[in-house]
Amino acid sequence: MEMLSKKATCKSHGQDSSYFLGWQEYEKNPFNEDRNPLGIIQMGLAENQLSFDLLESWLARNPDATMFGSNGGSIFKELALFQDYHGLQTFKTELVEFMAEIRRNKVRFDPQKLVLTAGATSANETLMFCLAEPGEAFLIPTPYYPGFDRDLKWRTGVKIVPIHCSSLNGFRITKAALDEAYDEALKLNLRVKGVFITNPSNPLGTTMNQDEFNHVISFAVSKNIHIVSDEIYAGTVFDSSKFTSIIEAIMDRNLEKTDIWSRIHVVSSLSKDLGLPGFRIGMIYSNNETLIAAATKMSSFGLVSSQTQYLLSKLLGDKKFTRHYIQENQRRLKKRQQVLVSGLQSYGIPCLKSNAGLFCWVDMRNLLSSNAFEAEMELWKKILYEVGLNISPGSSCHCTEPGWFRVCFANMSQETLNLSIHRLQAFVTSNGDGNYQNQKLSTRISRRNSLVVS
Amino acid sequence: MEFSLKNEQQQLLSKMATNDGHGENSPYFDGWKAYDSDPYHPTRNPNGVIQMGLAENQLCFDLIEEWVLNNPEASICTAEGANKFMEVAIYQDYHGLPEFRNAVAGFMEKVRGERVKFDPNRIVMSGGATGAHETLAFCLADPEDAFLVPTPYYPGFDRDLRWRTGIQLLPIVCHSSNDFKVTKESMEAAYQKAQEANIRVKGFLLNNPSNPLGTVLDRETLIDIVTFINDKNIHLICDEIYSATVFSQPEFISISEIIEHDVQCNRDLVHLVYSLSKDLGFPGFRVGILYSYNDAVVSCARKMSSFGLVSTQTQHLIASMLSDETFTDKIISTSSERLAARHGLFTRGLAQVGIGTLKSSAGLYFWMDLRRLLRESTFEAEMELWRIIIHEVKLNVSPGLSFHCSEPGWFRVCFANMDDESVRVALRRIHKFVLVQGKATEPTTPKSRCGSSKLQLSLSFRRLDERVMGSHMMSPHSPMASPLVRAT
């Protein structure tokens, strides 16, 4: 008899992907300015380390967050005992206000419709458990975050059917692509339960535009399926006016009083906006009461530590701070992104034009030895082992075209970023001859002009 | 309208989201609901329901708070600890902070009197013990597979092990005739029954110290269990969440000691679940631990822990606290003393009115025997009695039925989640209630001065109250006519 479960022995945890293998190589030989200056620079981790000084100075000004009030009274015991899966009310209230602030207050959220979870990882899995039976499917635009293979499919048994997006139109979702994905699911005998979008997109760094919203919403309405919108990067949009939440998009189309309203579910987290991935603060937001009731009960398997809920309720309750933080954080991210983009552009490596995220979607097709995923893997390994940069190959994000890489820029110092650009520059220069793409370079660049940052 | 809406929801959402697998429709939670709507408070609501259905440990917060005050660097939010803030806040490695794992392993060893060693590399985090149980079920069994579990058992297992995993729990029935001990015969019988029903048994779930019994398993039984699972080649999941709540003899023996010292066994079959929710009283911090002797399980469970990691802010605090051995020595021994005192207070108080409890040496509760107060030996009668206790006596205790007990009349009563005054009030209420009922159910006593030998549970409490207050007769078994009984 097989001693462990099928889940334990299959590969659905997705950890054999190059996305994770690169991390492992980095762990073996991590760059450190002083101790290991020739080590691998981690550019595969979408973390936001740019604004910790703001958080730290808030902490220094606000000793109350230590769980002992200024008058010496302790709420330690209360917090230690608090295990109500409805969550700390003050925290949820502040959290929804913070979420609204990020969305320019175009959307107001009701804390009663919010479920707290141990990170967005848990939120996404919980949603799948609640919305689909094992063997049913969700459609997801490619390229997508590699972690979804584990989070959405592994223990739930739900399938992912890709909505193929192409560089020809900047990887935007089209009606044709949606229909094609749906048909593919039918061919595979899979019942489609919903569309799963990430907005802003990981790995693209782009926000969804009106056309895309029109396509996705009309599609979900006509097929009577769910829309899950992972908005974890909402706070990383460089310019707030450019981000539209799915909820706002539905309201703009006057669909609040229709069926689709109860089939819209938003996921978010404080891991990217505030740069606090260690604290495991995720959330599900939905107008579907039955879903909220079920998801709340399921959150028992991954609640947010009450100690952490309390700290964040204080932090987010300081509105002056949050307003300043949101703006300043966005400004720094934009600046950092520009450094990477212009640095790469200066020696002929374009990036997809993006306005959000902690990464760029970099076009290295002209560095491939052939237009194939094997060539992409070859290039990735060279960049990992010879150049000493862990970047994420597009294939690990299920991109249909070889040659694209996700490169993170917000998880390191300015100096380290400069160094990584310099290393890549040296690599490109030394590999300039004998590339397959060289001949076609001029044609490709002109076609791509509309897609890249000038 | 409502019906069709519900139907619609059921199609819109998965079966899992709309079935009862969450277990919250169990009577275990009804009492909580009664408490939530009418919670006792000494001054604001002195007639409210006293919560005796929540196994929480509130007895040592003075020591813990003192430690927290004296160790500001354990919090990343204080001036002393803030320099660690960023490092801690960005750390999302599912291995967990090394100092956290080391401290937890060390604490677990200390609780077991240093009789065994735990390898910090086998420590896997989870969303509380709740998360650990579910993760183990996902790792060890496929849907429809079963785990055997001795009754009575913690109601939460029905949700934690079964809801999202699709596995089954099959009871190993235990009886009061031998103090609910697990026997070779009962294990074998449960296993055979599963075989006959064509159900594949993948594991054995044990809770030691037991919830709800409060007993610790003796060495012989533990050896029998390990031998059993080894012979059948099935997994053993041992939940030792109450390991540091032992307050008297007999001592706690961990499964880890048995496999290291007492019996040869395939260690790949053995897994432990632990948490800081009971021993230290930190359920809010969600510190669940899964410890396995099986490398493949450690690896798989660690990947699954992504769904319920412990907040690094909390890992940092716990690492600091549990590596302070002076503190941990003190808290383990003080907690034990206070639990013993509290347990003694209650059990002696109950004995005064002829209420027995199962002899126990651990846990935050005791297993109370109210069989003689039942109108008849049925679960309907148990439910009737329980409703009276909740709604009229105003105590939320947990009925044995919700723990899958095979015999009616047993109730779990928690005692560590309240202050001393609430204890006194609770005891007074119990005394009063039992004296009123007790009078009517002592048909065997020649000295009994009761009119009727049948317990009329349908009488309203108010009428019973008048009879008690107006009567000069006291139960012959009451040691004194306690003024406290009349005062309530």
Side-chain angles (χ1 to χ4, degrees), chain B residues 207-381:
Chain B
N207 198 189
N208 178 33
S210 163
N211 176 11
L213 303 175
T215 50
V216 297
L217 268 68
D218 58 77
R219 194 173 299 274
E220 199 189 307
T221 306
L222 285 166
I223 290 174
D224 285 344
I225 291 172
V226 173
T227 308
F228 177 80
I229 60 111
N230 203 42
D231 287 345
K232 306 285 191 235
N233 200 28
I234 61 177
H235 292 279
L236 178 60
I237 297 137
C238 202
D239 184 340
E240 299 190 346
I241 197 177
Y242 290 99
S243 49
T245 66
V246 181
F247 51 78
S248 71
Q249 294 292 329
E251 267 193 1
F252 168 64
I253 304 170
S254 166
I255 204 75
S256 50
E257 296 173 55
I258 301 292
I259 65 172
E260 280 199 28
H261 307 309
D262 294 90
V263 66
Q264 292 285 26
C265 146
N266 174 8
R267 293 198 189 181
D268 277 348
L269 298 174
V270 182
H271 323 278
L272 254 71
V273 168
Y274 186 57
S275 156
L276 298 183
S277 300
K278 308 296 179 184
D279 289 350
L280 292 182
F282 293 161
F285 294 168
R286 315 313 302 148
V287 182
I289 302 291
L290 189 161
Y291 187 95
S292 176
Y293 291 90
N294 181 321
D295 291 345
V297 172
V298 169
S299 172
C300 180
R302 188 161 278 137
K303 293 178 178 72
M304 287 189 181
S305 70
S306 300
F307 298 109
L309 295 171
V310 177
S311 167
T312 44
Q313 178 191 14
T314 301
Q315 288 185 47
H316 181 75
L317 171 71
I318 297 301
S320 200
M321 195 183 278
L322 297 189
S323 55
D324 181 343
E325 295 208 46
T326 314
F327 171 74
T328 52
D329 283 335
K330 188 164 169 205
I331 199 149
I332 290 171
S333 61
T334 309
S335 178
S336 180
E337 279 160 24
R338 293 179 183 179
L339 285 169
R342 196 48 89 74
H343 175 267
L345 183 64
F346 262 110
T347 50
R348 283 191 304 272
L350 291 177
Q352 280 172 2
V353 288
I355 294 291
T357 58
L358 184 70
K359 187 163 185 309
S360 63
S361 61
L364 307 174
Y365 38 75
F366 51 80
W367 193 230
M368 180 168 68
D369 183 358
L370 293 185
R371 286 177 293 176
R372 70 177 180 82
L373 295 188
L374 294 185
R375 147 178 82 75
E376 59 181 21
S377 181
T378 61
F379 286 109
E380 287 75 26

Side-chain angles (χ1 to χ4, degrees), chain A residues 379-390:
Chain A
L379 177 59
W380 174 66
K381 283 185 189 134
K382 270 198 198 147
I383 295 177
L384 181 60
Y385 296 110
E386 293 172 22
V387 184
L389 302 176
N390 176 35

Side-chain angles (χ1 to χ4, degrees), chain A residues 106-119:
Chain A
K106 288 296 177 88
V107 187
R108 302 297 300 176
F109 296 92
D110 175 357
Q112 304 312 317
K113 296 181 179 176
L114 191 76
V115 181
L116 296 175
T117 62

Side-chain angles (χ1 to χ4, degrees), chain A residues 66-68 74-81 307, chain B residues 56-75 107 244 276-285 314 317-318 320-322 324 326-336 338 416:
Chain A
T66 67
M67 298 192 288
F68 285 90
S74 162
I75 61 159
F76 183 90
K77 176 176 161 176
E78 238 175 271
L79 285 177
L81 294 173
Q307 184 192 17
Chain B
E56 260 178 10
N57 185 355
Q58 293 189 23
L59 302 190
C60 291
F61 273 107
D62 55 330
L63 296 181
I64 295 169
E65 283 167 353
E66 186 190 8
W67 187 92
V68 170
L69 261 176
N70 291 335
N71 291 273
E73 72 291 346
S75 164
F107 183 71
L276 298 183
S277 300
K278 308 296 179 184
D279 289 350
L280 292 182
F282 293 161
F285 294 168
T314 301
L317 171 71
I318 297 301
S320 200
M321 195 183 278
L322 297 189
D324 181 343
T326 314
F327 171 74
T328 52
D329 283 335
K330 188 164 169 205
I331 199 149
I332 290 171
S333 61
T334 309
S335 178
S336 180
R338 293 179 183 179

Side-chain angles (χ1 to χ4, degrees), chain A residues 1-9 13 15 23 27 45-49 52 55-56 59-60 62-63 65-68 74-83 85 118 121-122 125-126 128-134 150-152 154-156 191 193 224 226 259 262-263 265 271-272 275-280 288-291 294 297-309 311-312, chain B residues 8-9 11-18 22 24 32 54 56-58 61 64-65 68-69 74-79 82-83 85-86 88-94 126-128 130-131 134-135 137-143 159-161 163-165 200-202 232-235 268-269 277-278 281-286 294 296-297 300 303-304 306-315 317 321:
Chain A
M1 175 172 70
E2 182 58 63
M3 283 320 294
L4 301 189
S5 67
K6 293 191 180 73
K7 287 183 180 71
T9 46
H13 51 73
Q15 234 165 269
W23 286 24
E27 297 291 334
L45 184 55
E47 257 177 17
N48 182 0
Q49 294 186 22
F52 266 104
L55 292 169
E56 282 160 348
L59 277 177
N62 293 274
T66 67
M67 298 192 288
F68 285 90
S74 162
I75 61 159
F76 183 90
K77 176 176 161 176
E78 238 175 271
L79 285 177
L81 294 173
F82 185 83
Q83 54 177 328
Y85 56 26
T121 300
S122 181
E125 188 194 46
T126 297
M128 291 301 103
F129 273 125
C130 289
L131 300 179
E133 305 299 338
R150 171 196 62 195
D151 302 349
L152 306 181
W154 188 16
R155 306 190 308 179
T156 63
R191 183 163 165 218
K193 289 311 283 282
N224 197 27
H226 297 274
D259 286 351
S262 63
R263 299 201 306 271
H265 321 286
S271 299
K272 311 295 179 184
L276 307 172
F279 290 177
R280 315 314 301 145
N288 187 318
E289 282 176 11
T290 314
L291 174 79
K297 294 178 177 70
M298 282 192 190
S299 69
S300 299
F301 299 109
L303 296 171
V304 179
S305 170
S306 55
Q307 184 192 17
T308 301
Q309 291 189 50
L311 167 62
L312 266 302
Chain B
E8 220 180 274
Q9 290 299 341
Q11 277 157 25
L12 207 52
L13 305 184
S14 68
K15 293 191 188 76
M16 202 183 280
T18 47
H22 50 73
E24 272 179 42
W32 285 34
L54 185 54
E56 260 178 10
N57 185 355
Q58 293 189 23
F61 273 107
I64 295 169
E65 283 167 353
V68 170
L69 261 176
S75 164
I76 47 173
C77 311
T78 56
N83 60 340
F85 181 82
M86 179 166 155
V88 167
I90 60 177
Y91 187 89
Q92 55 181 326
D93 184 339
Y94 59 24
S126 59
T130 302
E134 190 193 46
T135 294
F138 272 127
C139 287
L140 305 178
D142 292 317
R159 171 197 60 192
D160 301 349
L161 277 302
W163 187 17
R164 307 193 305 182
T165 62
R200 191 168 76 158
V201 175
K202 283 310 284 288
K232 306 285 191 235
N233 200 28
I234 61 177
H235 292 279
D268 277 348
L269 298 174
S277 300
K278 308 296 179 184
F282 293 161
F285 294 168
R286 315 313 302 148
N294 181 321
V297 172
C300 180
K303 293 178 178 72
M304 287 189 181
S306 300
F307 298 109
L309 295 171
V310 177
S311 167
T312 44
Q313 178 191 14
T314 301
Q315 288 185 47
L317 171 71
M321 195 183 278

Side-chain angles (χ1 to χ4, degrees), chain A residues 175-238:
Chain A
K175 183 175 184 316
L178 282 162
D179 288 335
E180 200 188 292
Y182 193 84
D183 290 341
E184 181 62 26
L186 287 183
K187 269 198 218 115
L188 295 168
N189 246 326
L190 301 174
R191 183 163 165 218
V192 175
K193 289 311 283 282
V195 178
F196 192 111
I197 54 177
T198 306
N199 176 33
S201 162
N202 175 11
L204 302 175
T206 52
T207 51
M208 267 177 71
N209 62 26
Q210 285 305 312
D211 284 343
E212 289 179 291
F213 275 123
N214 287 337
H215 297 319
V216 170
I217 293 172
S218 306
F219 182 79
V221 167
S222 75
K223 304 287 188 215
N224 197 27
I225 60 179
H226 297 274
I227 300 177
V228 175
S229 181
D230 185 340
E231 301 186 353
I232 195 177
Y233 288 100
T236 68
V237 181
F238 309 148

